[in-house]
Structures are given as C-alpha cells and as structure tokens.
Amino acid sequence: MLRPFFSIIRRSFVSNMSERQTALVARGLPKKEPIIGVQDIIVVASGKGGVGKSTVAANFACSMAKLGKRVGLLDGDIFGPTVPLLMNIHCEPVLNDQNLMIPPQNYNVKCLSMGMITPSEGSVIWRGPLVMSAIQRLLKGAEWGPLDVLVVDTPPGTGDVHLSLSQHVPITGVILVTTPHSAAVQVTIRGARMYEKLNVPIFGLVENMRYSTCENCNQRIEFFKNCSTNSLPRKLISLPLHSHIAECSEIGVPIVIKYPESKYSNLFTQLAKKISEILDKQKGR
C-alpha cells in the first residue's frame, strides 16, 4: 500500500519545474533582503543536537569582537534558547521610536533571543508559520546595525528556522559543528547538503569534543579514535573537552572571556582570524 506513496515522493524529488512553475513558486516566497547596517551574516549549524553549537557560536562571536569587529549574536533556537544563559543577558530588549527592538549587549556583543522575551519557565508551543514569523521579527524587527558580523546560532535539524534564514536574508556563510561520533557526523552531512542545495557557502567545520588533555601529564586523550569527519567540509579547528567549558556556561561567561590565555581560547582566536580572512577575500580586500 505504501508503494504508490513512495513513488510520488520519488517523482517529486526528480521532476524539473518549468520556468513558469518556478516563477509561480517564487511569488509565494519572501523577498530576500539584507539587514540594515549588517555587513555579513554567519550561521552556526549542525543537523545534530548536543554537539556544542551554542557554545561555539557564543565564543566565536566574542572572539570576533576581541579582534575589533562589531558583532551581534542572534539565538535562532525558538524552542530551546540558550544565548541568555551563555551570555548572561536576562533583560527584555527595549523598543526604539520605530518600534524596533534594541538588542542588549554584553562582552561587546549585541544579543537577541526568544529567551529574553518569553518567561524562562515557559515553553513555546508553535507551529511552523509562527516560528518563521518569530525569526523574521528577530532578524528584521531589531536595530542590529552597525555590525560587521551577525552570528546566528541555529537549532538542530533542517527545518523552519534554516529555511526562514535562507529565504529572508543573504547568508554569507555557514560554520558547521559536530562531534566525531558517527551518529553526529551522518546528520551533520545532511545539514551540509541542505545548505548546498540552498546555494549557501560553507566555510568549514568545527570539530568539537574529540579529545581532552590530562592536566597532570599533559597527555592527549582521544575519545573518538575510529571516527572520521573526512566526509564533511574542511576542518577549521578541533576543540577539546574541558571542565572550564561547563563552568563558564553555567555562570554566563564565555571561556574566551574568563580564560583568555587558555589553549581553548587560542583555538577560537584562530577560528575568528580564519573567518575574517575569508570575509576579506570575498570583499577583495
């Protein structure tokens, strides 16, 4: 009984639309426009949850700010926002005369999240259209500028948030985050394929929690000896697992701020410099 259903799905993926059909579909899509005062939008993504996207996004944003960039951090996870905790911002954004939200700022990074608007104990129970409207409001309903870079922390999966971002604003590039575990890598590959289909450039991969370093003997301890991320885009940095990460997340101080001379912070500085170089090359600097 399921064969006709699956054959319809298979045909829908392989059929090519005519120019007229493409034009009709395009009419119903939102118009892609840049955010006023924002030069570049960088998305931090992974198909898999629990791989450290939000931690990477927060520390990357702070590292870019330490390089002298004007930086914003948008929490795109409508259902599970964590930017208020990671960046220690729990106040509601105020509105300006144009009814635009003014993102609160900490560590020289402007931040905006649904977690600043909804009660911390409450849950957001919304269908797709409301989620897409919320993303649009956070993107276009705020006074972000002037910014050199807006970092967007996205939720797991390849759903409404990712599609809304790609439809509403021009994304400069994507940073993928994964652990080397096969279950995470396989789902991250799907996330990468989605952005490739949307014609969004992928800057590279942040490999997270692959190893730890013993504080007594300085020996590197590998957690994923037989796992590989070679099937993913090029590796930008490989981050260790360290107790300071959990400590900093709980108190709302990114590790690059609390421990600026640590090896972990140096890796994020490398990441920020690599991305800055990519942005400069794109602009022909």
Side-chain angles (χ1 to χ4, degrees), residues 46-49 51 178-190 224 227-228:
S46 173
K48 192 69 174 174
V51 296
T178 188
T179 60
H181 193 268
S182 297
V185 171
Q186 290 172 6
V187 181
T188 305
I189 291 173
R190 298 191 189 105
F224 302 94
C227 296
S228 172

Side-chain angles (χ1 to χ4, degrees), residues 126-197:
W126 287 351
R127 291 185 182 272
L130 286 174
V131 175
M132 297 172 79
S133 296
I135 290 296
Q136 186 175 8
R137 174 65 172 158
L138 292 172
L139 285 169
K140 303 290 184 67
E143 188 181 14
W144 283 109
L147 286 183
D148 296 312
V149 177
L150 176 61
V151 180
V152 184
D153 176 32
T154 59
T158 56
D160 296 325
V161 170
H162 302 270
L163 292 174
S164 295
L165 287 169
S166 63
Q167 290 173 353
H168 283 100
V169 294
I171 301 173
T172 309
V174 177
I175 297 174
L176 295 173
V177 182
T178 188
T179 60
H181 193 268
S182 297
V185 171
Q186 290 172 6
V187 181
T188 305
I189 291 173
R190 298 191 189 105
R193 297 292 178 268
M194 177 199 67
Y195 279 107
E196 288 172 357
K197 289 181 179 179

